[in-house]
Amino acid sequence: MGLQSFEHGLERMVEGVFSRGSRSSIRPVELGRRLLREMDDHRSVDVKGRRIVPNVFSLKLSARDHAAFADIDEALVAELCETAREYARAEGYHFMGPVVVEMLVDNGLKPGRFTTSSRMKESGGGVGAGSLVMASGERITLGHQAVTVGRLPDCTIPVNDANVSRRHCEVRAAGSTFLVVDLGSTNGTKVNGVRIQGERTLTDGDIVSVGSTHLRFEAS
């Protein structure tokens, strides 16, 4: 999916939600467009051959524009983070850590102008934190305890689906990140549409699929 076609989805996503709340001359879609270009412009390849892109973005605005976004700041940042995750999935990009978007004031900028910078930042040490987001919006917090997915009622996430095994897969901590582990299921576990072999490390925004159930992993 090219940047231009992805921008159309971004425009639909943010304009309807935020156009009524913003008093800034900067359209939210402009911020998202610049963020996606940062990913394209600063991608690199790691030792495993994966395309790595920045996961921390700083958007600097004038004091007036920053204030104009104050009422919708939290929701806008959440939408921009999700836009980055979706674009990464579409383009086959990988993040080194959670996606973070900061909106900062730069007193040297005139209203209507903004600057963007980005960097790659790994997750911190120790046990990571994150969640699995279900289609309903419900979040299952991840931590030391493994989260199981399957048809059995005692699974953390019980799934009523004939294509899902009784204990299908689990998501568990592995140092500062998390793994999804297939538990010998009949029909397999997929991450971003690709069936895994045994286990796979999850990165922010990955989609774990078991049968027709899809869970989005969010690092935090």
Side-chain angles (χ1 to χ4, degrees), residues 10-124:
L10 170 64
E11 195 160 356
R12 288 193 303 271
M13 179 186 298
V14 300
E15 288 300 314
V17 177
F18 301 117
S19 59
R20 295 185 303 274
S22 173
R23 299 181 304 278
S24 172
S25 59
I26 298 173
R27 297 165 62 216
V29 70
E30 295 177 58
L31 302 176
R33 191 176 289 137
R34 190 75 63 84
L35 185 148
L36 301 186
R37 289 209 172 99
E38 280 287 313
M39 295 168 65
D40 284 337
D41 291 345
H42 298 285
R43 64 192 176 199
S44 61
V45 178
D46 69 1
V47 293
K48 296 180 181 179
R50 301 181 303 175
R51 295 193 294 173
I52 306 298
V53 293
N55 57 300
V56 177
F57 304 90
S58 297
L59 301 171
K60 292 186 178 181
L61 305 92
S62 71
R64 182 187 299 177
D65 287 321
H66 190 273
F69 282 119
D71 291 343
I72 60 171
D73 176 88
E74 186 174 335
L76 176 56
V77 165
E79 289 291 345
L80 291 172
C81 288
E82 183 56 24
T83 295
R85 295 186 190 105
E86 289 189 9
Y87 190 59
R89 286 195 295 270
E91 295 297 312
Y93 293 157
H94 294 266
F95 299 118
M96 296 174 64
V99 177
V100 177
V101 175
E102 322 173 282
M103 296 184 66
L104 308 172
V105 173
D106 184 340
N107 289 319
L109 288 173
K110 295 179 179 179
R113 300 295 186 96
F114 68 94
T115 63
T116 313
S117 61
S118 61
R119 66 186 188 278
M120 299 178 189
K121 183 178 179 182
E122 292 188 61
S123 301

Side-chain angles (χ1 to χ4, degrees), residues 64-196:
R64 182 187 299 177
D65 287 321
H66 190 273
F69 282 119
D71 291 343
I72 60 171
D73 176 88
E74 186 174 335
L76 176 56
V77 165
E79 289 291 345
L80 291 172
C81 288
E82 183 56 24
T83 295
R85 295 186 190 105
E86 289 189 9
Y87 190 59
R89 286 195 295 270
E91 295 297 312
Y93 293 157
H94 294 266
F95 299 118
M96 296 174 64
V99 177
V100 177
V101 175
E102 322 173 282
M103 296 184 66
L104 308 172
V105 173
D106 184 340
N107 289 319
L109 288 173
K110 295 179 179 179
R113 300 295 186 96
F114 68 94
T115 63
T116 313
S117 61
S118 61
R119 66 186 188 278
M120 299 178 189
K121 183 178 179 182
E122 292 188 61
S123 301
V127 177
S131 59
L132 292 174
V133 184
M134 304 175 71
S136 63
E138 180 184 355
R139 291 176 179 271
I140 307 298
T141 301
L142 301 172
H144 292 276
Q145 195 76 19
V147 168
T148 55
V149 184
R151 278 203 334 269
L152 290 178
D154 63 348
C155 286
T156 314
I157 303 177
V159 178
N160 184 17
D161 184 337
N163 292 315
V164 174
S165 299
R166 291 185 299 170
R167 290 191 181 277
H168 196 102
C169 69
E170 69 178 20
V171 177
R172 60 177 184 232
S176 62
T177 187
F178 291 91
L179 298 175
V180 57
V181 183
D182 185 81
L183 301 176
S185 67
T186 302
N187 294 311
T189 301
K190 295 180 179 179
V191 175
N192 301 331
V194 179
R195 185 166 177 167
I196 67 171

